[in-house]
Amino acid sequence: MKAKARAHANIALIKYWGKSDENLSLPMNSSLSLTLDAFYTETEVEFTNSINEDVFFLNGVEDKNTLSKISKFLDLFRIARNMNERAIIKTINYVPTAAGLASSASGFAALAAATNKASGLDVNSRELSTFARRGSGSATRSIYGGIVEWQKGINDKTSFAVEIDDASWDIGMVVVIVNREEKKMSSREGMKSTILTSPFYKNWPEDSQKDLKEIKIAIKEKDFEKMGYITERNALKMHATMLGANPPIMYFEPKSILVMQIVHELRDKGIPCFFTMDAGPNVKILCRLSQGEMIKNRLMEDFKEYEIIVTGPGPGVEII
Ligand code: ADP
Ligand code: DP6
Ligand code: CO
């Protein structure tokens, strides 16, 4: 009745932005991501008869604010197993929480895997990704390593992740932590408000699917530059939908823009690197893993006292 799992965060190259069904967490569009080695979550779940409410510890501190979300998530497994035990959940994020670095992805993928094992449900990876999805959309993709597609599907069973490439061809990311504080507006609230109020949103679902189609071809051809240009454009288009919301949603900070300018400067010098940014000010740079340290060194000239992390592709979720 007790299990522990580790799941790695993932950064979308083609973004998921918007739900068609909030209860089932079905997305408006399919998305594609790179799982990262440097950022992960470890979660332990223990079902027991000795308590009558779940308890949730995040980074060693009891977190009552997140508890109802966690309990609702565990209920999916309790219903499937026809069991009533409550659980003690202990999770550690080796990734800044709620800062646009996908803690909800590694967090719910790890929770799904540990709960799957501890409850004895033992579903396979594909089905596990549908469970992870119910906790956080991006968590669907963190079940697998390398480059992963979340196929939007049409219902609970058909909206799952598939690994499409192991990313072992000199691919990595440089992550610049410009601000590790928790964001004021969660991804969930941000996408909801964008759908409701942004006149630019209506173009997003179809346009992002075109980007997805193109990037999958680029990946198949191992055309890194093409992959990078599509990645950068897709992120900016997602942010454009948010800028059009009412009230406008803007996750950019001055330092985020500075990183983007340095990326363009490096590209002008012939170094293939491309930025992407999520619901938070931290910028991730898609690059050749072998050039990661060199890119970091250039960034250090302007970001001396900041954390800059070079990372390769990460593995799928595992029981530890
Ligand atoms: P992020 O950019 O980090 O993914 P989100 O706004 O998507 O930020 O999600 C942050 C939320 O994810 C947190 O408020 C919390 O509810 C949930 N979360 C983060 N880490 C964990 C974890 N280890 N286990 C369970 N839930 C987590
Ligand atoms: C911008 O998966 O964090 O990072 O499903 O509501 O938990 P919920 O949101 P979440 O949204 C991620 C949005 C994004 C893009 C992406 O990761 O695809
Ligand atoms: Co998230």
Side-chain angles (χ1 to χ4, degrees), residues 5-260:
R6 180 191 300 126
H8 289 253
N10 72 78
I11 296 301
L13 309 183
I14 303 300
K15 307 296 185 186
Y16 141 58
W17 196 244
K19 296 177 181 69
S20 60
D21 183 321
E22 283 183 13
N23 178 41
L24 289 177
S25 198
L26 300 178
M28 289 284 205
N29 62 288
S30 299
S31 54
L32 181 139
S33 59
L34 179 67
T35 301
L36 299 185
D37 198 41
F39 301 104
Y40 56 93
T41 297
E42 289 180 357
T43 301
E44 183 186 272
V45 174
E46 180 177 11
F47 285 100
T48 167
N49 276 320
S50 67
I51 47 175
N52 41 33
E53 243 188 284
D54 295 324
V55 234
F56 177 64
F57 293 92
L58 172 62
N59 296 337
V61 182
E62 188 171 356
D63 178 354
K64 293 199 166 156
N65 295 328
T66 316
L67 184 64
S68 67
K69 198 157 121 185
I70 302 290
S71 289
K72 243 181 103 182
F73 182 74
L74 291 198
D75 284 343
L76 301 172
F77 291 84
R78 283 189 276 251
I79 291 164
R81 286 289 286 154
N82 196 16
M83 62 191 268
N84 217 350
E85 285 84 354
R86 302 294 108 178
I88 302 164
I89 304 111
K90 294 179 186 156
T91 183
I92 306 279
N93 279 342
Y94 297 91
V95 52
T97 303
L101 288 161
S103 72
S104 68
S106 56
F108 276 99
L111 182 62
T115 312
N116 182 43
K117 190 83 189 160
S119 67
L121 185 64
D122 271 325
V123 296
N124 63 23
S125 298
R126 176 172 287 189
E127 204 176 333
L128 187 59
S129 77
T130 70
F131 275 94
R133 192 195 75 232
R134 303 289 293 273
S136 178
S138 53
T140 315
R141 301 182 307 241
S142 272
I143 298 301
Y144 294 106
I147 298 173
V148 182
E149 180 184 358
W150 171 15
Q151 301 181 344
K152 69 184 175 111
I154 49 165
N155 53 32
D156 184 34
K157 274 199 161 35
T158 55
S159 186
F160 51 72
V162 285
E163 185 181 340
I164 65 161
D165 189 289
D166 66 6
S168 65
W169 36 291
D170 199 14
I171 290 177
M173 273 189 181
V174 179
V175 179
V176 189
I177 314 237
V178 304
N179 185 349
R180 53 158 61 230
E181 272 170 37
E182 297 199 7
K183 55 185 117 174
K184 292 189 187 79
M185 184 182 278
S186 68
S187 310
R188 190 158 297 183
E189 290 307 314
M191 62 180 82
K192 198 167 155 181
S193 167
T194 303
I195 290 185
L196 288 173
T197 67
S198 175
F200 305 148
Y201 187 78
K202 65 174 189 300
N203 293 315
W204 170 259
E206 198 185 315
D207 187 78
S208 61
Q209 298 315 271
K210 278 189 203 146
D211 284 350
L212 177 65
K213 225 176 175 171
E214 272 188 49
I215 206 169
K216 283 173 75 177
I217 295 170
I219 291 165
K220 213 172 197 165
E221 293 171 346
K222 296 197 169 33
D223 185 340
F224 181 72
E225 295 223 352
K226 191 168 163 198
M227 184 180 160
Y229 280 110
I230 298 167
T231 295
E232 195 172 289
R233 278 204 310 271
N234 184 265
L236 288 173
K237 283 187 275 190
M238 175 184 73
H239 286 280
T241 70
M242 298 184 214
L243 293 170
N246 183 13
I249 301 165
M250 190 167 74
Y251 288 106
F252 299 102
E253 287 183 13
K255 295 284 179 190
S256 320
I257 306 281
L258 180 56
V259 176
M260 294 174 189

